[in-house]
Amino acid sequence: MAKGEGAESGSAAGLLPTSILQAGERPVQVKKEPKKKKQLSVCNKLCYAVGGAPYQVTGCALGFFLQIYLLDVAQVDPFSASIILFVGRAWDAITDPLVGFCISKSPWTRLGRLMPWIIFSTPLAIIAYFLIWFVPDFHQGQTLWYLLFYCLFETLVTCFHVPYSALTMFISTEQSERDSATAYRMTVEVLGTVLGTAIQGQIVGQADSPCIPDANASTVNRTQSSTSIKETQNAYLLAAGVIASIYVICAVILTLGVREQRESYETQQTKQMPFFRGLRLVMSHGPYIKLIAGFLFTSLAFMLVEGNFALFCTYTLGFRNEFQNLLLAIMFSATVTIPIWQWFLTRFGKKTAVYVGISSAVPFLILVALMESNLIVTYVVAVAAGISVAAAFLLPWSMLPDVIDDFHLKQPHIHGTEPIFFSFYVFFTKFASGVSLGISTLSLDFTGYQTRGCSQPARVKFTLKMLVTMAPIVLILIGLLLFKLYPINEEKRRQNKKALQALREEASSSGCSDTDSTELASIL
């Protein structure tokens, strides 16, 4: 019998005259059929997954190409470029908790609580993105131009991505369905990185962008290359237009194909919890702190590789015309292995997948650090590194819902914290990546980086090698050590799943009890 059912039936019967209830008669019991679990269709999962592509397509283009674009195409000096990259990433990190705060205060609408943010931020985001890749005619104030539109775009894309990330908790109440949808999402997101790399790399790669053999080259030589620079600038604008179109299409598919679902026990919550109280509870939740600490270091490792890869291939390895193809090899390999990692974490557990998947990058980074420039070996390493990139993409977003479920069990009356969990995880990751990318670009300035040079000083080449190999290895090892402290293993996950299911059934039964009493009175 559901909780409160007998008491409510008895009280309803007690309100009726005794003449109505004959001796030996019992009040009519209204039987409730067990609530069927609604499973997500493949179409729903695909529509949800497609929504992850805009963030990855634009993020991949900016992550891999913005640094070399600012230095060699817009011809911003390295110090100013480091300011743009650091402030842009740091602002991007700050906007995540701010947007999370605003979302937590948002009311539920006919479209849901998260979808309106996705819908209204999209048109403004694509305009700002396009202007990032536009080179203004004025040189004075050029740094301010890029800083303004970079920060504006990061704000708007955060208004898209934070609610989209939190949407994981509202597409289904079933943990297995959320894990499956997350695997779909990660596959599409890695495909998005492949698409972003292919569009940006191949379109830009077709433009002739000659280097300057000597930093002290004459004005005539520099003037002769101005036409080629203009062609390169137009190529970047064309790539931006194509990526902006993909952004819009994916946002439309997500909006039309996904509906938010509210938890049964959440609909009974009338008073909204203050944001800062929720933040304090979230940041005091041990499993969450340990998870973000581990992924903070591992994410930093891959972001260092991402931010400096183009310059590393161009100047240290000498593959000026091959780096976009090497990026494609990495991302294509990651795309193919995402389903394999999904099977692996289901079969052997998520913590085991973390250790195996992320640590597999270390031998290949060591190989890159020790080997001489060899194109075939570099392609082999790129394909192998993609396997580890796939694990780094999938695992954080697959493990965060487990932490939120654990939080809900310990704080069953606290709701609306999902955006805080996701936004602050992204906040720590982005802020640290902004610091690392700003410092890495600044270090190039200190070592004597030459804008649009055909070659760089030995100190610059050595610095790039350290940024792409040794620094990521150290960060990965620190992250893996921190994962030893993460308490949610497979047994704990199963226990949480059973406890949450019981909580939902209890809430559902309690929610239905008032309706049962009304029906009982009507029948009698």
Side-chain angles (χ1 to χ4, degrees), residues 295-376:
F295 277 119
L296 175 64
F297 285 94
T298 56
S299 299
L300 268 177
F302 289 101
M303 288 178 183
L304 269 178
V305 176
E306 176 190 66
N308 296 281
F309 189 78
L311 293 173
F312 174 71
C313 289
T314 300
Y315 296 115
T316 303
L317 298 181
F319 303 140
R320 175 178 290 273
N321 298 320
E322 290 290 334
F323 78 87
Q324 64 267 26
N325 298 323
L326 288 166
L327 289 177
L328 276 178
I330 293 174
M331 295 306 163
F332 181 78
S333 173
T335 304
V336 172
T337 51
I338 280 280
I340 299 175
W341 284 119
Q342 173 63 21
W343 169 84
F344 188 94
L345 66 87
T346 304
R347 178 69 176 81
F348 299 102
K350 296 180 181 180
K351 286 189 72 173
T352 304
V354 168
Y355 295 133
V356 175
I358 295 180
S359 63
S360 64
V362 173
F364 300 106
L365 292 175
I366 294 175
L367 181 60
V368 171
L370 298 178
M371 74 176 187
E372 296 295 330
S373 179
N374 185 298
L375 185 58
I376 296 177

Side-chain angles (χ1 to χ4, degrees), residues 467-478:
L467 291 172
V468 173
T469 57
M470 298 310 299
I473 290 173
V474 172
L475 291 169
I476 286 174
L477 294 177
I478 294 174

Side-chain angles (χ1 to χ4, degrees), residues 131-157:
L131 292 176
I132 291 174
W133 303 103
F134 177 77
V135 179
D137 293 334
F138 52 86
H139 187 74
Q140 195 83 10
Q142 198 176 45
T143 301
L144 183 61
W145 170 279
Y146 289 114
L147 187 59
L148 172 64
F149 287 108
Y150 188 28
C151 290
L152 179 60
F153 171 74
E154 294 295 355
T155 303
L156 293 167
V157 80

Side-chain angles (χ1 to χ4, degrees), residues 263-282:
E263 290 278 19
S264 301
Y265 54 81
E266 185 181 353
T267 58
Q268 301 174 25
Q269 184 79 4
T270 56
K271 186 178 179 181
Q272 197 170 30
M273 180 191 57
F275 173 79
F276 289 104
R277 184 190 169 203
L279 176 60
R280 186 170 61 253
L281 290 171
V282 167

